[in-house]
Amino acid sequence: MRAFLFRVVICVIVLGLMAVFAISTGAWPKIVEAVGVAFGHDAAEKVDDFGQASKDISDQISDAYTAAQNGEYTQINYPAIGELLDTLNPLKPGQRIPEYRRANFGEPWTDTDHNGCDTRNDILARDLTDITKQGECTVMTGTLADPYTGTTIAFQRGEKTSAAVQIDHVRSLSDAWSAGAWTWTDERRLEYANDPMVLLAVDGPTNSSKSDKGPATWMPTNAAYVCQYVSSYVAVSAKYNLAIAEDDRVAIDRALEGCH
């Protein structure tokens, strides 16, 4: 009996504290294997299903955004988003944490995927259509179907024009910092700041007004994108095991009620 209880405790600790982090770092298959040894093949399959769910949601969000740019529609599993939201740890108020600085997340737009292009140009190339480039990387012009406002923006690189399209962190760096990123390594924060899953090309002034606000105090004015926005916020938070404030959780729950 003691041996059985010990295994249960170990399993709960592993799943509760390491699951999302393990998924994002590629260590998940080893955890599944360990659970299989302790509890058998069926238990391991259930654990693997939970880990796969967060990855599937991320893929669905990406597919939905790509489809929308092409005037098409693809379904996101919103009930699964709600279940994933329930797994996020609550943000503890009153924690004493170091002051946020942008430099804590490394050099802006570092080429972390080592493709020879900085992250900003990678995201512009991904999210804009009809782009032209200078060389292999630098996006000079293109058209953005802005998800936050529902407007169309003609992008032209230039000292006075580039800011018309900015790259938003769906969950801002300062928000992530207070939600747990302050405990990360420098490498982990650099990864977050340049992760394509976290990033989105959007209308510049709207991005400035969004700043570091969460869903409780900011939502896209484009009602058609609200469901996808809160889904992205949840998926990013789950991937990086970020805590969530109660008012943001309530706002997301309320938004998901209208998502079908």
Side-chain angles (χ1 to χ4, degrees), residues 16 37 46 52 65 83-84 98 101 116 174 182 214 227:
V37 171
K46 291 180 180 179
Q52 186 64 37
Y65 181 67
E83 293 174 5
L84 195 59
R101 290 184 175 85
S174 60
W182 66 278
C227 291

Side-chain angles (χ1 to χ4, degrees), residues 51-69:
Q52 186 64 37
S54 65
K55 181 180 184 302
D56 289 345
I57 288 170
S58 299
D59 291 344
Q60 289 172 23
I61 293 168
S62 177
D63 291 344
Y65 181 67
T66 302
Q69 287 183 308

Side-chain angles (χ1 to χ4, degrees), residues 57 61 64-65 76 78 81 147-149 168-172 175 197-200 202 206-207 209-237 244 248 251-252 255-256 259:
I57 288 170
I61 293 168
Y65 181 67
I76 295 175
Y78 292 114
I81 298 287
Y148 286 170
T149 63
D168 179 42
H169 291 86
V170 173
R171 185 160 190 183
S172 73
D175 188 14
M197 177 181 167
V198 182
L199 302 172
L200 197 61
V202 299
T206 300
N207 183 51
S209 66
K210 173 179 178 281
S211 185
D212 60 356
K213 299 181 181 73
T217 52
W218 188 91
M219 286 284 185
T221 56
N222 178 18
Y225 191 75
V226 167
C227 291
Q228 195 166 325
Y229 165 69
V230 296
S231 298
S232 296
Y233 190 94
V234 171
V236 166
S237 300
I244 185 167
D248 286 329
I252 293 171
L256 288 175
C259 302

Side-chain angles (χ1 to χ4, degrees), residues 145-184:
D146 177 45
Y148 286 170
T149 63
T151 60
T152 300
I153 302 170
F155 171 77
Q156 182 172 358
R157 180 176 295 277
E159 183 176 345
K160 297 182 179 180
T161 56
S162 289
V165 174
Q166 297 178 14
I167 309 302
D168 179 42
H169 291 86
V170 173
R171 185 160 190 183
S172 73
L173 299 185
S174 60
D175 188 14
W177 174 262
S178 62
W182 66 278
T183 67
W184 297 349

Side-chain angles (χ1 to χ4, degrees), residues 133-144:
K133 288 185 176 181
Q134 179 178 300
E136 294 294 322
C137 298
T138 306
V139 176
M140 300 302 294
T141 61
T143 302
L144 174 68

Side-chain angles (χ1 to χ4, degrees), residues 13 26 39 44 51 108 115 143 156 170 191 221 253:
I13 292 173
F39 294 97
N115 68 349
T143 302
Q156 182 172 358
V170 173
E191 175 192 344
T221 56
D253 264 330

Side-chain angles (χ1 to χ4, degrees), residues 15-31:
L15 293 180
L17 299 180
M18 299 180 62
V20 176
F21 178 77
I23 294 166
S24 63
T25 57
W28 188 255
K30 294 182 180 179
I31 291 178

